[in-house]
Each structure stands twice: as C-alpha cells, then as structure tokens.
Amino acid sequence: MTGCGHLCASSKRMRRHWSDAHSVSGPNDFASHARSVKLQTFFRGTKLKYFEVSVATTDAESPDFDEGARHDRKDSDVAEMSLLAQPTSLPDSSPVVDLETLAYFHHFMITTCLTLPKIDDSLPASQYWGKYVVSLAMRQRWLMCGLLAISAYHSATLEDERTAQQKHCERATKLRSEFFVGFNETMNKNFNNLSTEDLQKTKKIAVQIRSIISCARWTLTGSITKQETVLGPTIALSRLQSLLCDIRDFSELGNSSAIQQNKADDRQKNLDMNSARGTATAPTVLLNRLQILPYRMAEIFGKPDHEQDAPAILLSIAALLECCSSVFESNDSLAVDLPGTLQGISAWLNKTTDHFDYMVSLLNPAALIVLVHWAAILVKQTEVYECWFIHGFSRAIVLLIHEHFSTDDAVRGLVEGLLG
C-alpha cells in the first residue's frame, strides 16, 4: 500500500499486518499487494525491525509465501543457526585458534601456573607465571608455544590412560619445537622492534621456560615402572644421552647469584668422608651412601684409566655433600622452600670439575654413579613439594642409569635401592 513499506518474514505475518494496520482482509491475489524481497536485521527482541537489502548475485525467488508460516520467528532463528554453523573462509591475516590450543591455555592459567616454582622475589609464583610471563607470551607466539608445551606435558601427568598421555606428549613435542625455533632466533639475534630492556626480559623468561620444558619432557619416562613395556639397554642408552643434554638446562632454573661458586681448592677442604655435616637433617641414608661411595667404587672399578679421574670423582662427591649441607644444615628439610632446595641442589652442576663433566659425557660408569646419587637426592626433595616436572626429570635419570647398568651386576649394586 502507498507509503507503507512494511517488511516481515512470512505471509502469515503480512496478512496480520494488513488486518491490524489497514483493516484489510488478505486478498486472493497476494502478489498484487506484496512482493518477495531479501531481508536483514541486526537485532532480536520485541522491537525487531527488518530492512531490505540488495544482493549482487541473482538468486531464484523463494516461493515461501504460504500459510504454513514456515518463516515465522522460530523457523527463521533455526535458519540463522544453520547459516552460522556453515564453515566461513577467513582472511589470511586472521588468527586461527583451535579448541585444543585454547584448552591447553586454559589449563595453564587455571592449574599449571600454580605448580611452577617461584622465581621472581617480588611476585608470587602464580602471578609471575599466570600474569607477567603470559603478558609477554601474548605478544610473541613462540613464547606462548613454550607455555602451552608445559601445559601439555602437565596434562599428560594427570592422565591414567596411556593413549591419552601419548597424545598430550605428541602435542607438547610440536609446541616445544616451535618454541625452540623462536628461542634460538632470539638468543642469537637482536631485534630492532624490542627495546634492550624488553629483549633482556624476554631472554630471561625464555631460559626459564626452556629449563622447565627440558625437565617436563622426561616426566613420563620417570614413571617407567608403570609403563607396559620395559626399556631395553639400547633405548635406555639413547635416552640417557639425550637426557644428559638437558641437565645443564635444569641448572638454569635453580641458578642464583646468592649461591657462591667454590673453587676446587675450597672443595678439597670438605673432602673428609667421615664428616657427618648435614646428615642429621638431610636424607641420611643417601648421604651415608655418598660418604662410603668412593670405597665401594674403588673395589669394583679398580685403578682409574686416567690420573684425573679419581680426583674428579672425589671432588664431585665432596661438592654434592656440601650442596646438601647448604640446604639442610640450618633447618628441617620440610621447612626449606622449593626455590631454596632447587638452588642448593642444582648448584652442584656448577661445582663439578671440567674433567668430571667430560667423564659424564663419555658415560663413564664412576661419573654416572655420582650423577645418579645427585638425582636420587633431588627425587626425595621434590616428593616433599610435589613438583611434578623436576620429580619426573630426576627420577628418569635414576631409572635410565639403572637400566644402563642392567647387565653389570657389580655396578648395578651401587645404584639399587636409591628410590626405595
């Protein structure tokens, strides 16, 4: 009708409009009083208004002006839901976030960040990881991949079913690879779009994330006794060599400038194997084993192949006793916080001699025996604090070295019972 232009979504509503607004009963010739158009609305509700839109392509008119009211409000809502469910092509610049990624991010924010150790003295661990680190990771994809990798590894530890664990680990491995691409680029280059201060913050956090990932990826290996298959000597050797590459990364997590790095001459003063310093509060059994370890190894291995081997072994044992004493001599072990424990025990990695490190790289049995005792002490302490990634990492060292010596009864006797 002249001057009306009313728009609605069905013939039934149009006839009602004629009756209510114009007091006209619907004519038999419907097409002479209304026409089919393309409608659109931005809102829903009691004040709903349609407007006509033009379409670039020529489509066949929809013959739906029937009395069945198929285009009533309810049906039109269903149609719109169907359209929303259709796949939509996004421009290349649009970020594509899958639900799996969102799930790992949510898990990190809600759960994982609460399990990570305190590193920054000015912030609680939850705020440091859940706010400060996340805020930086939001601006750099590779950093976010590192956090998501940690979340995926943590998710694996919460699963009981082996297939689910494996799925999380596979996803974590991919995220870890992407993190290390950005990590290597950042450490080797200076970016013009980052200030010197921002770059240093990024590098510091990146090293911390790398350290946690290096530990976390061994978590399920640390639960080897629960696995369906047992590692053979060949696989154990391969994994052990790979794990040894990650040990230095672990030291970055617990490194602190407050811990003094003693020289070999200073360590020599602590070499008295009869000293009971620290044994009253430290894991007594393990430390007692350490003190008699040189004599047991001398009986099994005999004369060292190299003149520097014996001093390197003795100094590494003395350094380990010293590190344990620094953690436990003042307080009961339950009173020591996790960061202090990490700093004290991981300091041993920086106190060993270069020759000892060389012996470890060659998988020298005597050096591995000392290393496995260090890992066993770390296992005991992380059990107290339920630190999942360090506990799994240190436990993996013990199990893999034990498996490495599985064919040598004499040497295996030096590592048996360390986790008992």
Side-chain angles (χ1 to χ4, degrees), residues 18-32:
W18 289 342
S19 175
D20 294 344
H22 304 289
S23 300
V24 176
S25 298
N28 294 328
D29 186 8
F30 195 94
S32 65

Side-chain angles (χ1 to χ4, degrees), residues 43 86 120 137 232 286 303 358 381 403:
F43 307 102
Q86 299 298 318
D120 189 289
L286 283 173
K303 185 178 180 180
Y358 176 68
Q381 295 312 303
E403 188 66 27

